[in-house]
């Protein structure tokens, strides 16, 4: 349905999107998640040319949207967009807001546009507000009207740009319920959202965006249950992190411990938790990993705390030949390994791009 190839968008020297590649199939519900400022909204705006891409291709049903010969106006009608703000005309009644596009742009007879508008208002639960004005509605009601107005143009795909970000928490559920119904009805949708539970429950595919690219993508089960990349895992599990680089075998252990204490106090971790983190890192770094490093020591430590499950995760990445201390048969009975196995609930070893990685939980 839509194919995006090597899409880039620059604002002067600021690179917002770089080499984005994406296929959108009919009937898919794609949730786009990621930190603020990583290009999520810009990607949506490029898809319907509210922003002109710097380079790349957008192919819609075999037609290149960026070709100068393309009837952009016609193709854009196939893509509805729901914004953070509602953009309703305050001087028009709700039903008039919905009828405006079909009458003026699609040349639909007013009676047909009215009947269709009432059906859509009934679908979003607001038929009784047809003759009210936008200022008489709550934020959630305004957004539901905005969705009905978009659907009145009979789009093939609807793009949602953080549709609940301007709403009070009490109003979010009513808007998400409408989007869920559209998903059940088979509407093709792409939704930029910070509502992780919603993204997990309604989407068929999730894109995690970071650094101006699609950093990782997969099914909701893959992205939220088994993310492959560290940044994705940190984001979806609401993990707060402390990072520390070690570039010398004579590194300052006291400085590392002080950093862990400062981080732990911000997360309200107990003194016992802090001491256990420090003990695990000391045993691994000093007694195991430093000894395996060559002249150029290269070790990165990430301490993560998840608000979601109250878990502490440690990620240690280190250069050198493949080495997993937990599989070192000669070291299984030494004191360090006994301490580590007692304090840790999980210890996984990976080898990626000629680097070793330990993922530990406690």
């Amino acid at each position: 349905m839509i194919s995006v190839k090597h899409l880039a968008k620059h604002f002067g020297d600021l690179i917002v999107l770089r080499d984005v590649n994406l296929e959108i199939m009919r009937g898919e519900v794609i949730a786009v998640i990621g930190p603020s400022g990583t290009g999520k909204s810009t990607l949506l705006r490029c898809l319907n040319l509210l922003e002109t891409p710097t380079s790349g291709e957008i192919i819609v049903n075999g037609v290149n949207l960026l070709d100068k010969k393309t009837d952009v106006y016609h193709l854009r009608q196939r893509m509805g967009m729901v914004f953070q703000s509602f953009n309703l005309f305050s001087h028009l009644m709700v039903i008039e807001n919905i009828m405006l596009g079909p009458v003026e742009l699609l040349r639909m007879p007013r009676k047909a546009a009215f009947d269709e508008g009432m059906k859509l208002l009934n679908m979003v639960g607001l038929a009784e507000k047809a003759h009210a004005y936008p200022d008489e509605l709550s934020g959630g009601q305004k957004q539901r009207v905005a969705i009905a107005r978009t659907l009145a143009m009979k789009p093939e795909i609807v793009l949602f740009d953080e549709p609940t970000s301007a709403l009070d928490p009490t109003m979010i559920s009513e808007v998400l319920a409408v989007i869920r119904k559209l998903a059940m009805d088979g509407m093709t949708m792409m939704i930029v959202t910070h509502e992780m539970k919603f993204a997990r429950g309604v989407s068929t595919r999730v894109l995690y965006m970071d650094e101006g690219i699609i950093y990782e993508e997969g099914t909701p089960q893959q992205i939220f249950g088994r993310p492959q990349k560290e940044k994705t895992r940190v984001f979806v599990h609401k993990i707060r992190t402390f990072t520390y680089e070690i570039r010398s075998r004579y590194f300052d252990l006291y400085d590392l411990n002080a950093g862990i204490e400062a981080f732990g106090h911000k997360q309200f971790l107990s003194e016992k938790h802090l001491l256990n983190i420090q003990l695990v890192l000391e045993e691994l770094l000093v007694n195991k990993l430093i000894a395996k490093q060559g002249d150029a020591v290269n070790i990165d430590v990430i301490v993560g705390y998840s608000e979601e499950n109250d878990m502490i995760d440690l990620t240690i990445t280190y250069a050198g030949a493949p080495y997993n201390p937990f599989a070192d048969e000669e070291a299984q009975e030494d004191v360090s390994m006994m301490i580590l196995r007692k304090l840790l609930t999980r210890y996984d070893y990976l080898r990626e791009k000629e680097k070793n990685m330990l993922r530990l939980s406690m």
Side-chain angles (χ1 to χ4, degrees):
M1 183 177 182
I2 299 177
S3 178
V4 179
K5 299 179 181 179
H6 307 296
L7 189 71
K9 176 61 181 176
H10 303 172
F11 293 96
D13 294 332
L14 178 63
I15 301 175
V16 180
L17 298 175
R18 55 185 181 89
D19 199 29
V20 172
N21 296 278
L22 172 66
E23 298 287 336
I24 303 173
M25 307 305 292
R26 192 175 302 277
E28 279 196 298
V29 179
I30 299 176
V32 186
I33 63 173
S36 299
T38 54
K40 303 183 300 297
S41 294
T42 301
L43 174 59
L44 258 60
R45 294 175 69 84
C46 283
L47 287 180
N48 67 358
L49 293 191
L50 289 175
E51 298 286 353
T52 303
T54 303
S55 61
E57 292 184 342
I58 302 173
I59 311 296
V60 180
N61 293 332
V63 179
N64 188 350
L65 197 60
L66 303 180
D67 190 320
K68 293 181 180 180
K69 299 177 182 178
T70 298
D71 184 352
V72 174
Y73 172 77
H74 177 70
L75 282 178
R76 188 183 282 165
Q77 285 187 2
R78 299 181 183 178
M79 289 190 207
M81 189 156 182
V82 179
F83 300 88
Q84 300 176 31
S85 55
F86 321 117
N87 297 330
L88 300 176
F89 291 107
S90 60
H91 66 289
L92 297 179
M93 291 185 292
V94 164
I95 187 64
E96 292 173 325
N97 268 278
I98 295 173
M99 292 171 59
L100 187 62
V103 170
E104 296 296 327
L105 300 177
L106 301 183
R107 303 303 179 188
M108 184 182 292
R110 290 188 63 83
K111 178 64 167 61
F114 177 86
D115 291 343
E116 183 65 23
M118 290 303 297
K119 288 180 183 178
L120 291 169
L121 282 175
N122 187 61
M123 188 270 288
V124 299
L126 290 173
E128 66 178 3
K129 299 292 185 180
H131 295 94
Y133 287 90
D135 288 347
E136 301 174 54
L137 306 180
S138 69
Q141 290 171 334
K142 289 177 183 177
Q143 192 62 293
R144 283 187 278 158
V145 172
I147 293 172
R149 178 186 58 186
T150 298
L151 296 175
M153 295 297 291
K154 302 188 182 302
E156 295 181 17
I157 180 173
V158 179
L159 310 176
F160 291 88
D161 186 10
E162 299 191 40
T164 61
S165 65
L167 302 179
D168 293 333
T170 55
M171 301 175 186
I172 290 174
S173 61
E174 63 191 63
V175 174
L176 297 185
V178 171
I179 300 175
R180 282 194 186 93
K181 186 178 188 312
L182 292 176
M184 292 173 62
D185 292 342
M187 172 63 72
T188 307
M189 295 185 286
M190 191 168 181
I191 309 164
V192 171
T193 182
H194 288 288
E195 301 290 335
M196 295 298 102
K197 184 176 179 182
F198 170 72
R200 184 170 191 166
V202 78
S203 63
T204 56
R205 185 155 50 111
V206 179
L207 311 181
Y208 173 73
M209 289 192 68
D210 207 333
E211 301 176 8
I213 62 172
I214 297 173
Y215 198 80
E216 185 171 355
E217 66 176 292
T219 65
Q221 293 76 19
Q222 290 169 333
I223 295 299
F224 291 100
R226 301 181 302 279
Q228 298 300 303
K229 298 189 177 181
E230 187 64 19
K231 282 189 176 183
T232 313
R233 189 181 69 87
V234 167
F235 181 82
V236 299
H237 293 303
K238 299 180 181 179
I239 298 175
R240 301 290 182 265
T241 61
F242 163 76
T243 61
Y244 195 86
E245 294 182 352
I246 299 173
R247 297 297 182 262
S248 167
R249 64 180 60 256
Y250 305 109
F251 78 100
D252 190 341
L253 180 61
Y254 293 100
D255 182 57
L256 171 60
N257 285 338
I260 291 170
E261 285 188 20
F263 168 76
H265 289 152
K266 287 182 180 179
Q267 312 308 321
F268 301 101
L269 298 182
S270 68
E271 293 300 321
K272 181 180 179 181
H273 275 129
L274 291 177
L275 288 173
N276 286 344
I277 295 170
Q278 291 169 336
L279 182 55
V280 165
L281 289 177
E282 181 175 350
E283 293 297 336
L284 270 173
L285 296 172
V286 176
N287 297 327
K288 296 297 176 185
L289 301 183
I290 290 286
K292 296 292 183 178
Q293 295 279 289
D295 294 334
V297 173
N298 191 324
I299 302 176
D300 294 320
V301 177
I302 301 175
V303 180
Y305 172 68
S306 172
E307 298 177 4
E308 193 176 69
N309 55 23
D310 198 33
M311 290 286 291
I312 297 167
D313 291 325
L314 308 176
T315 302
I316 305 174
T317 306
Y318 47 103
Y323 173 62
N324 177 8
F326 294 94
D328 186 345
E329 295 182 1
E330 296 180 1
Q332 293 309 303
E333 302 303 322
D334 68 23
V335 175
S336 291
M337 294 311 300
M338 293 174 65
I339 292 173
L340 291 170
R341 292 183 186 280
K342 182 177 180 180
L343 294 177
L344 296 172
T345 59
R346 187 195 73 169
Y347 29 88
D348 295 330
Y349 169 80
L350 300 171
R351 176 76 177 178
E352 289 185 349
K353 297 180 180 179
E354 299 184 355
K355 279 198 171 185
N356 303 283
M357 179 184 290
L358 289 174
R359 286 181 173 173
L360 316 170
S361 297
M362 58 189 304

